[in-house]
């Protein structure tokens, strides 16, 4: 078993034009910075990106948007990005907005081997249009399908050479769900350790879900909304 | 005097009870955290994966891995827990969150809510709002009574695309506290110095006024 690759360039080497990618993170928190940088460098195009958000103009997925590498975004909230707005309004970019819990659970379903789930989110709204509706115990639910993604790109705090992952604080968010959901999952970690050095009781993502792992470098971990306590 | 945003938050905070798990939306709802009554423990849920949101960090102590759903840097309180986004919406869907406080553009007398999309304007997305309103058992809306054009936001029917239907239980505006009942908006309290007539004039949907309506006291 050898899951360890040297860097992001090697990790993403098989990703090709038109692939469907999942990218972990919430806002700029817990995003796979190294993989995004490598994708920008390689210039792969026509990508579909499933990600809760679309980054900001000069960071995160925003860097890929700027180079027009993204054909379609599947997200729950895409504010804070002027270039995104421009491409959307000009029709260069397709966007599918879905409720955040539905996004998370469609990842979960994929990772749990379930083809679809029922959720009440979006019933009675335009999200329900053309979807199968079923009544359980007097309440309506929408049928939503598991995602099918070629690659999941996730960021963890610690990982071992067998691909076991541990996330830190709210940087966990969508990462463990997407890690389970990708046909191929690539994990970048702040600390890569030999197998056996992480306590098995504290693993968030078991290595079976992870195909490639590498020690990330130069993390910027940009803060989107720095907010401090008012000092009297 | 109409209530300030802080006073709206302060009024909503009176609805909190010991042991409540609460999800606060962005904007006025976030301010509710500043007015949690002393002597009770309330645990704030952040849908990006945190139970037990603490105050904003001191300058220089912010951690990029620790944010709230508004992407602001936060801290944790003792007893907090982190989890992934599926579990976060799982606890919301399963009705474990006792109270949800949201902003809104429009609320109908049936309890429908519109707060995510204005036709013709750039749509940023619904985030977690549709999941929250579809499942929460107790939703309070915090908003201004009228929009910037002076038009009522408490309507017989919402005109904007809906976020959810028949879900709002109570509304606290700058002018009034109203409950959503089977028969329409029921006026419970007035802002100090605001007459029942003014509230009626600024409420497009059906407003039920029974007896003397008390003024809020701050």
């Amino acid at each position: 078993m050898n899951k360890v690759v040297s860097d992001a360039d090697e990790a993403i080497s098989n990703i090709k034009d038109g692939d469907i990618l999942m990218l972990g993170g919430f806002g700029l928190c817990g995003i796979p910075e190294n993989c995004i940088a490598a994708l920008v460098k390689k210039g792969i195009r026509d990508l579909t990106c499933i990600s809760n958000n679309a980054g900001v103009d000069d960071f995160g997925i925003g860097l890929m948007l700027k180079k027009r590498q993204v054909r379609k975004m599947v997200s729950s909230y895409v504010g804070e990005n002027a270039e995104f707005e421009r491409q959307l309004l000009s029709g260069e970019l397709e966007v599918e907005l879905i409720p955040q819990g539905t996004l998370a659970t469609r990842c979960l379903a994929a990772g749990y081997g379930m083809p679809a789930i029922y959720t009440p989110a979006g019933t009675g709204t335009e999200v329900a249009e053309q979807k199968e509706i079923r009544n359980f115990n007097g309440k309506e639910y929408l049928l939503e399908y598991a995602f099918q993604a070629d690659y999941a790109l996730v960021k963890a705090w610690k990982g071992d050479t067998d691909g076991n992952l541990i996330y830190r604080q709210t940087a966990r968010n969508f990462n463990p769900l997407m890690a389970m959901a990708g046909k191929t999952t690539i994990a970048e970690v702040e600390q890569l350790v030999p197998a056996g050095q992480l306590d098995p009781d504290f693993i968030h993502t078991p290595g079976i879900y992870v195909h490639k792992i590498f020690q990330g470098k130069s993390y910027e971990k940009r803060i989107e909304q720095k907010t401090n306590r008012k000092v009297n | 005097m109409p209530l300030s945003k802080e006073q709206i938050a302060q009024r909503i905070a009176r609805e909190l009870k010991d042991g409540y798990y609460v999800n606060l939306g962005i904007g006025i709802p976030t301010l509710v955290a500043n007015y949690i009554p002393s002597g009770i423990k309330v645990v704030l849920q952040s849908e990006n994966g945190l139970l037990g949101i603490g105050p904003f960090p001191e300058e220089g102590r912010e951690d990029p891995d620790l944010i709230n759903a508004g992407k602001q840097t936060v801290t944790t309180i003792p007893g907090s827990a982190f989890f992934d986004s599926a579990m976060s919406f799982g606890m919301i869907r399963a009705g474990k969150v006792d109270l949800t406080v949201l902003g809104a553009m429009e609320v109908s007398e049936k309890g429908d809510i519109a707060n995510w999309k204005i036709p013709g304007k750039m749509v940023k997305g619904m985030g977690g709002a549709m999941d929250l309103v579809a499942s929460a058992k107790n939703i309070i809306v915090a908003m201004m009574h009228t929009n910037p054009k002076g038009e009522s936001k408490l309507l017989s029917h919402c005109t904007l695309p809906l976020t959810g239907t028949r879900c709002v239980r109570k509304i606290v505006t700058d002018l009034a506290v109203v409950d959503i009942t089977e028969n329409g908006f029921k006026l419970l309290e007035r802002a100090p110095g605001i007459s029942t007539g003014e509230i009626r004039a600024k409420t497009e949907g059906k407003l039920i006024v029974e007896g003397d309506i008390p003024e809020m006291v701050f």
Side-chain angles (χ1 to χ4, degrees):
Chain A
M1 183 187 295
N2 184 23
K3 298 185 178 186
V4 179
V5 294
S6 59
D7 57 17
D9 294 330
E10 187 184 346
I12 64 140
S13 59
N14 292 328
I15 300 181
K16 57 188 190 305
D17 291 352
D19 277 348
I20 300 172
L21 311 183
M22 287 179 160
L23 296 101
F26 182 95
L28 301 178
C29 181
I31 60 172
E33 291 182 25
N34 282 208
C35 282
I36 290 171
L39 288 168
V40 170
K41 191 165 95 180
K42 199 176 174 195
I44 307 159
R45 299 178 66 92
D46 294 322
L47 296 168
T48 293
C49 293
I50 301 167
S51 170
N52 188 54
N53 312 95
V56 294
D57 275 319
D58 60 346
F59 201 59
I61 292 174
L63 297 169
M64 294 161 67
L65 287 164
K66 199 185 270 181
K67 286 192 68 184
R68 313 271 301 276
Q69 294 174 273
V70 183
R71 184 182 63 76
K72 182 177 179 184
M73 279 302 310
V74 180
S75 304
S76 84
Y77 188 83
V78 294
E80 1 293 353
N81 193 322
E83 174 62 14
F84 182 97
E85 188 168 345
R86 191 197 66 72
Q87 290 184 21
L88 179 64
L89 295 174
S90 69
E92 294 162 63
L93 178 68
E94 189 185 337
V95 62
E96 184 182 346
L97 292 170
I98 51 185
Q100 195 176 137
T102 302
L103 181 72
T105 314
R106 289 175 65 186
C107 295
L108 184 87
Y112 274 46
M114 300 182 295
I117 53 117
Y118 283 102
T119 178
T123 48
T125 76
E126 64 184 51
V127 167
E129 285 167 18
Q130 276 143 41
K131 283 184 183 153
E132 182 181 321
I133 297 169
R134 189 157 161 190
N135 191 301
F136 295 96
N137 306 316
K139 183 168 172 166
E140 287 191 343
Y141 294 80
L142 304 183
L143 181 75
E144 298 276 8
Y145 293 99
F147 283 122
Q148 298 196 23
D150 298 305
Y151 290 88
L153 311 179
V154 302
K155 153 81 197 314
W157 178 36
K158 293 180 181 177
D160 71 20
T161 50
D162 281 355
N164 296 300
L165 304 176
I166 297 173
Y167 308 91
R168 186 171 175 272
Q169 301 187 345
T170 57
R172 190 182 319 183
N173 55 64
F174 285 85
N175 281 299
L177 308 168
M178 291 179 169
M180 292 192 300
K183 279 194 204 94
T184 299
T185 291
I186 298 168
E188 55 176 271
V189 298
E190 289 178 57
Q191 295 173 42
L192 182 64
V193 300
Q197 290 204 359
L198 299 178
D199 184 338
D201 263 336
F202 291 89
I203 301 296
H204 296 136
T205 297
I208 191 168
Y209 288 114
V210 176
H211 305 92
K212 294 181 183 182
I213 188 167
F214 66 94
Q215 166 75 58
K217 59 181 189 205
S218 314
Y219 281 104
E220 180 177 336
K221 291 201 185 185
R222 193 185 293 189
I223 293 174
E224 203 164 336
Q225 305 281 348
K226 180 175 166 297
T227 309
N228 295 107
R229 208 174 294 188
K230 286 195 184 77
V231 181
N232 294 323
Chain B
M1 281 280 287
L3 304 189
S4 64
K5 289 178 177 176
E6 283 73 18
Q7 285 174 315
I8 294 174
Q10 212 174 332
R11 174 60 192 82
I12 291 171
R14 293 178 190 162
E15 304 291 321
L16 301 172
K17 294 190 174 73
D18 187 42
Y20 261 22
Y21 290 92
V22 179
N23 183 291
L24 301 176
I26 293 163
I28 300 174
T30 305
L31 301 173
V32 174
N34 300 333
Y35 300 102
I36 297 171
S38 57
I40 69 169
K41 179 156 184 175
V42 168
V43 178
L44 301 178
Q45 200 252 16
S46 191
E47 61 261 28
N48 56 320
L50 166 61
L51 272 168
I53 308 172
F56 295 123
E58 289 167 23
E59 178 69 40
R61 302 292 296 269
E62 56 281 336
D63 184 330
D65 289 340
L66 184 49
I67 63 171
N68 65 16
K71 289 139 193 165
Q72 296 170 305
T73 45
V74 292
T75 59
T76 55
I77 60 167
S80 63
F82 297 112
F83 36 86
D84 65 55
S85 301
M87 184 179 280
S88 179
F89 285 96
M91 62 184 72
I92 289 166
R93 215 179 285 120
K96 305 296 180 188
V97 175
D98 298 290
L99 174 65
T100 296
V101 185
L102 290 167
M105 299 171 191
E106 294 176 347
V107 178
S108 83
E109 62 191 35
K110 299 271 188 276
D112 297 347
I113 178 171
N115 73 351
W116 76 287
K117 183 175 184 179
I118 299 174
K121 288 202 175 170
M122 163 76 183
V123 181
K124 293 185 171 184
M126 66 291 280
M130 283 193 183
D131 307 273
L132 280 160
V133 301
S135 299
K137 52 192 177 195
N138 188 10
I139 299 174
I140 299 180
V141 163
M143 66 178 188
M144 296 294 125
H145 210 92
T146 56
N147 67 21
K149 290 186 203 157
E151 297 160 344
S152 180
K153 295 171 70 169
L154 288 79
L155 306 173
S156 51
H157 300 281
C158 291
T159 62
L160 295 169
L162 293 178
T163 309
T165 58
R166 293 174 180 266
C167 54
V168 178
R169 297 270 289 271
K170 190 187 280 297
I171 310 171
V172 179
T173 74
D174 52 336
L175 304 184
V177 179
V178 302
D179 265 358
I180 312 275
T181 69
E182 294 273 304
N183 303 314
F185 298 117
K186 182 166 187 215
L187 183 58
L188 300 181
E189 295 171 29
R190 298 176 287 125
I194 302 295
S195 69
T196 301
E198 178 175 350
I199 295 164
R200 194 186 290 283
K202 290 180 175 170
T203 305
E204 190 267 341
K206 185 179 174 195
L207 186 73
I208 301 160
V209 182
E210 285 174 3
D212 281 344
I213 305 300
E215 276 190 2
M216 287 177 249
V217 178
F218 291 93

